[in-house]
Amino acid sequence: MKTKLFAVPYIIWMALFVCIPIVLIVVYAFTNDAGAFTFENFKGMTSYASVFGRSFLLAAIATIICILIGYPLSIVMSKFPSNWQKIFTMLIMLPMWMNFLLRTYAWMSILEKTGLISQLLGLVGLPPLDIINTNTAVVIGMVYNFLPFMVLPIYSVVTKIDRSLIEAAQDLGATPGKVFKKVTLPLSLPGVLSGITMVFVPAVSTFVISQLLGGGKHMLLGDLIEMQFLGTAYNPHLGSAIALVMMIIVIICLRIMNRFGDGEGQAVIL
Amino acid sequence: MAKELIRLVNCSMAFDGEVVLDNINIYFNDKKFLTLLGPSGCGKTTTLRIIGGFLKPTSGDVLFDGVRINDVPPHRRRVNTVFQKYALFPHLDVFENIAFGLRLQKKPKLAEAEIKERVLEMLEVVNLKGFEHRQVSSLSGGQQQRVAIARALVNRPEVLLLDEPLGALDMRLRKDMQNELKRIQQAMGITFIYVTHDQEEALSMSDTVVVMNEGKIQQIGTPEDIYNEPKNAFVADFIGESNIVDGIMHEDGVVEIFGRKFKCLDSGFDPMEPVDVVIRPEDVDIVPLKEGMLTGLVTNVTFKGVHYDIIVDFKGFKWLIQTTDFCPVDSKIGIKIDPDGFHVMKKSKYSGMFGDYSSYSDEYDEISDSEYDPEAEEEDGQGGGYYED
């Protein structure tokens, strides 16, 4: 009984800052300024379909790129001696200790027309790169900011794979390629799934990255919601409705994805 | 004569400069049950991993059927391994675990029907019929062990390597599995190379026992040879219980211990050569004082079920004697040893390190254990303080 007491602060925290806000969002989404029940907020959203589409598309692309970079990186990291592994983990964590805004501003100056990349290209006589304020820049920003959330879960799962399982597979006749396909990959899937959750969800709702690197030209869901609460188009009811729909779509996406990883390999949802 | 299958020639292995295998020469015959026996750190698992292809010897050659296979990776060797902690694939069920090797076979690629037939057949061999769709995590230790054995055997390897496969099982299950393994080995007619630190297991299952210590082979022989004719004090002590005393070999068949001459069956030593004499606790008969060849004082009695372990002090040197007769502590007894109860061994670097029961009961458990700490023994040891390096 006593151990349950330790959960009380967390339960209070959850109730205050998770459950009540969600309830409030739901209430707001289904009411108008006068406080009357209405579906108007949802009907008003149809004009933002392209924002939904772009948000999910860019988040998906960023997540896939994160997997493509993060998975091999995790595997390679896990093969190094353990003190090297510590250094690598450190290097991956290090940027996260710096302010998120600062990191994104840094990318602005790297990607700018007169930025670092363009200058380097200029040195070898190539034309300057002009990708700031494009979707590409937004994806780069997402990948950079969220990559650690892909690498760390995969890495922690991969390092826990019992070395003797790899040896057993070799012993039974598996070439290095087969060992990967039949043992390492399936056993590391839980890490990939939680990595996807941890990258996709923040990527879909980000607004700083799209504003700074996308120049505000291509609005994402985050921007849209922010605008309804803090911006010019003040309409918390519409904002709540958008947030609610986004949440539901994210949950559906993750549910579908979880089908692929049975049993223990569930991504973290809800 | 049995056909020779695997041979290690002058194999040495060092990890970071630390030698774990020191110039091993050994061959393994076809269709035999051979056991590598020794305390932990003796190099037995290293030897097994060299044969399995997981380690390359620092120097020396590994021959399979006369062909050098040092550089052949594990997946192309015709051996399969049963790992110490089973190493079953947690993401696959019992059937798929066992079918793992079969599904990897390329030429000829096996038909699904044949895979199924062979897996089910193997499940029957290891007494796990009906378990094919169970998850491995839902199996008990003994069942997981059987799956591991089936997974290796289903590939019909020429050699099965077993790395302390029964180490994690309880006593009863170990006994059952020992019989089962022996039965499977004979039924399938393949070579088993078995690694253990359990001398009883080694003696009861093997055709040949290889006793190893400190990266060197101490003795190779049948279980009977190893027990009855140990080559040095280490082997005598590691295999069963032994009283080891300093002696002098006067001539063939006559050995002197405690200043008295005894008849024995050993020969082939130089006249007056200093030797180690092993007397097994069960070879000592307790007789009335007058008839005794030696007399001693009982200092400790432990009831062991079938027999009593008694510790008897002979001139400061304490012996372990196993007897069914009860002798109270502090009683004087006489003992008699038949000529075949003496086993005479050449002096070795292990002389004087083993076979003294002076600090009995504190130490008894350690002695029967795999770990051995010569430092501790030297401090405790009285009598028999002969040490030759």
Side-chain angles (χ1 to χ4, degrees), chain A:
Chain A
M1 280 309 285
K2 265 197 171 167
T3 51
K4 282 187 181 164
L5 276 179
F6 291 111
V8 170
Y10 177 69
I11 290 169
I12 294 173
W13 177 272
M14 286 285 286
L16 279 179
F17 299 110
V18 180
C19 297
I20 294 176
I22 289 179
V23 171
L24 283 179
I25 286 175
V26 175
V27 171
Y28 263 77
F30 287 101
T31 51
N32 57 24
D33 282 337
F37 180 84
T38 176
F39 281 115
E40 279 308 311
N41 299 320
F42 293 92
K43 285 180 192 151
M45 264 164 53
T46 43
S47 52
Y48 298 116
S50 64
V51 180
F52 271 91
R54 192 184 307 123
S55 280
F56 279 89
L57 182 68
L58 292 188
I61 292 172
T63 308
I64 289 167
I65 295 174
C66 279
I67 296 176
L68 294 179
I69 299 173
Y71 193 88
L73 181 62
S74 310
I75 299 277
V76 171
M77 263 168 69
S78 70
K79 305 240 155 133
F80 274 87
S82 72
N83 35 351
W84 277 94
Q85 290 188 26
K86 278 184 202 130
I87 293 172
F88 280 125
T89 319
M90 187 77 169
L91 286 176
I92 287 167
M93 304 266 281
L94 207 59
M96 287 161 64
W97 298 351
M98 241 168 304
N99 184 282
F100 183 84
L101 267 176
L102 207 66
R103 278 181 276 153
T104 313
Y105 273 117
W107 270 102
M108 269 174 85
S109 60
I110 291 171
L111 296 177
E112 263 169 1
K113 213 169 186 177
T114 54
L116 206 60
I117 293 182
S118 297
Q119 284 177 20
L120 285 176
L121 289 174
L123 284 180
V124 288
L126 291 167
L129 193 69
D130 188 14
I131 56 168
I132 191 78
N133 300 342
T134 62
N135 287 337
T136 315
V138 174
V139 170
I140 289 175
M142 287 176 174
V143 169
Y144 175 77
N145 277 309
F146 302 131
L147 187 62
F149 300 106
M150 182 63 79
V151 175
L152 295 178
I154 298 177
Y155 165 75
S156 69
V157 170
V158 168
T159 45
K160 280 199 202 89
I161 295 177
D162 191 349
R163 176 88 204 130
S164 67
L165 291 177
I166 311 288
E167 288 187 353
Q170 293 173 341
D171 185 75
L172 293 164
T175 57
K178 288 278 185 196
V179 172
F180 177 75
K181 195 177 144 215
K182 299 192 77 164
V183 180
T184 314
L185 185 61
L187 288 178
S188 60
L189 220 51
V192 179
L193 291 183
S194 52
I196 290 175
T197 317
M198 290 173 71
V199 171
F200 184 73
V201 174
V204 107
S205 56
T206 181
F207 59 91
V208 177
I209 295 174
S210 56
Q211 276 172 13
L212 296 184
L213 298 178
K217 272 195 279 178
H218 308 283
M219 228 196 289
L220 296 187
L221 278 173
D223 307 306
L224 191 59
I225 296 169
E226 193 219 7
M227 234 164 71
Q228 308 306 321
F229 285 93
L230 303 170
T232 43
Y234 183 76
N235 184 355
H237 299 284
L238 179 61
S240 297
I242 298 169
L244 192 63
V245 171
M246 186 183 86
M247 198 167 85
I248 290 165
I249 297 177
V250 166
I251 290 172
I252 292 170
C253 287
L254 295 180
R255 272 282 150 101
I256 293 170
M257 191 186 69
N258 269 353
R259 292 268 160 128
F260 296 106
D262 52 352
E264 297 155 44
Q266 299 279 309
V268 202
I269 58 162
L270 290 176

Side-chain angles (χ1 to χ4, degrees), chain B residues 364-383:
Chain B
Y364 187 45
D365 285 335
E366 283 170 42
I367 286 168
S368 53
D369 203 88
S370 61
E371 297 301 336
Y372 174 70
D373 183 1
E375 298 291 326
E377 179 112 339
E378 255 173 89
E379 279 166 24
D380 298 339
Q382 309 158 7

Side-chain angles (χ1 to χ4, degrees), chain A residues 164-165 167-176 178 182-183 186-187, chain B residues 49 54 74-75 80-81 83 87-91 101 103-104 151 155:
Chain A
S164 67
L165 291 177
E167 288 187 353
Q170 293 173 341
D171 185 75
L172 293 164
T175 57
K178 288 278 185 196
K182 299 192 77 164
V183 180
L187 288 178
Chain B
R49 289 173 62 80
F54 302 112
H75 64 90
N80 283 123
T81 308
F83 291 85
L88 298 178
F89 302 118
H91 57 299
R103 292 202 189 286
L104 287 168
R151 184 179 68 177
N155 304 295

Side-chain angles (χ1 to χ4, degrees), chain B residues 153-388:
Chain B
L153 282 177
V154 77
N155 304 295
R156 299 178 184 159
E158 286 177 67
V159 180
L160 187 68
L161 309 176
L162 302 105
D163 185 6
E164 307 227 15
L166 308 183
L169 304 182
D170 63 54
M171 195 67 151
R172 272 296 292 276
L173 211 50
R174 285 178 83 119
K175 297 265 182 243
D176 291 348
M177 285 302 293
Q178 284 174 19
N179 294 330
E180 196 126 320
L181 279 174
K182 187 73 194 164
R183 177 183 66 76
I184 291 170
Q185 188 260 332
Q186 280 162 353
M188 309 266 306
I190 57 176
T191 310
F192 273 37
I193 302 177
Y194 192 96
V195 160
T196 183
H197 65 263
D198 183 331
Q199 41 108 358
E200 205 185 312
E201 206 165 272
L203 295 181
S204 60
M205 298 166 78
S206 323
D207 294 311
T208 306
V209 177
V210 179
V211 185
M212 296 179 71
N213 190 39
E214 294 172 337
K216 290 196 179 80
I217 293 174
Q218 302 296 330
Q219 188 170 359
I220 303 178
T222 63
E224 289 86 353
D225 283 348
I226 300 273
Y227 189 84
N228 293 331
E229 302 295 337
K231 243 187 188 161
N232 60 38
F234 175 81
V235 177
D237 183 78
F238 195 74
I239 312 290
E241 297 293 334
S242 305
N243 301 297
I244 305 172
V245 290
D246 289 327
I248 294 165
M249 200 69 184
H250 280 255
E251 55 189 86
D252 283 357
V254 180
V255 65
E256 178 196 320
I257 55 169
F258 294 133
R260 285 192 52 178
K261 288 185 198 168
F262 293 90
K263 251 193 205 155
C264 65
L265 301 178
D266 300 84
S267 58
F269 294 87
D270 294 335
M272 301 306 283
E273 184 179 341
V275 289
D276 286 332
V277 181
V278 177
I279 295 138
R280 295 287 187 189
E282 71 274 17
D283 288 340
V284 181
D285 294 328
I286 294 178
V287 293
L289 266 178
K290 275 179 237 158
E291 296 167 31
M293 300 157 102
L294 287 167
T295 56
L297 186 71
V298 178
T299 62
N300 195 316
V301 180
T302 315
F303 179 59
K304 288 280 173 181
V306 183
H307 61 264
Y308 295 96
D309 273 1
I310 66 173
I311 300 295
V312 185
D313 189 329
F314 296 103
K315 302 179 180 177
F317 192 95
K318 298 195 177 175
W319 284 20
L320 172 71
I321 295 173
Q322 289 171 344
T323 173
T324 50
D325 306 322
F326 177 70
C327 306
V329 173
D330 286 339
S331 62
K332 279 218 143 213
I333 57 164
I335 57 151
K336 208 173 123 237
I337 304 162
D338 291 333
D340 66 359
F342 295 96
H343 304 295
V344 182
M345 308 179 300
K346 290 223 181 259
K347 284 279 179 193
S348 69
K349 69 171 196 162
Y350 297 109
S351 299
M353 291 167 66
F354 300 100
D356 179 24
Y357 289 87
S358 297
S359 45
Y360 180 74
S361 78
D362 302 318
E363 209 191 327
Y364 187 45
D365 285 335
E366 283 170 42
I367 286 168
S368 53
D369 203 88
S370 61
E371 297 301 336
Y372 174 70
D373 183 1
E375 298 291 326
E377 179 112 339
E378 255 173 89
E379 279 166 24
D380 298 339
Q382 309 158 7
Y386 191 98
Y387 191 92
E388 183 191 77

Side-chain angles (χ1 to χ4, degrees), chain B residues 63-98:
Chain B
L63 305 178
F64 192 101
D65 250 348
V67 183
R68 185 175 180 276
I69 57 163
N70 285 35
D71 300 316
V72 177
H75 64 90
R76 283 177 36 217
R77 296 196 181 191
R78 284 175 291 167
V79 299
N80 283 123
T81 308
V82 176
F83 291 85
Q84 194 166 12
K85 289 184 189 106
Y86 321 137
L88 298 178
F89 302 118
H91 57 299
L92 302 175
D93 64 9
V94 170
F95 185 97
E96 285 304 320
N97 260 283
I98 299 174

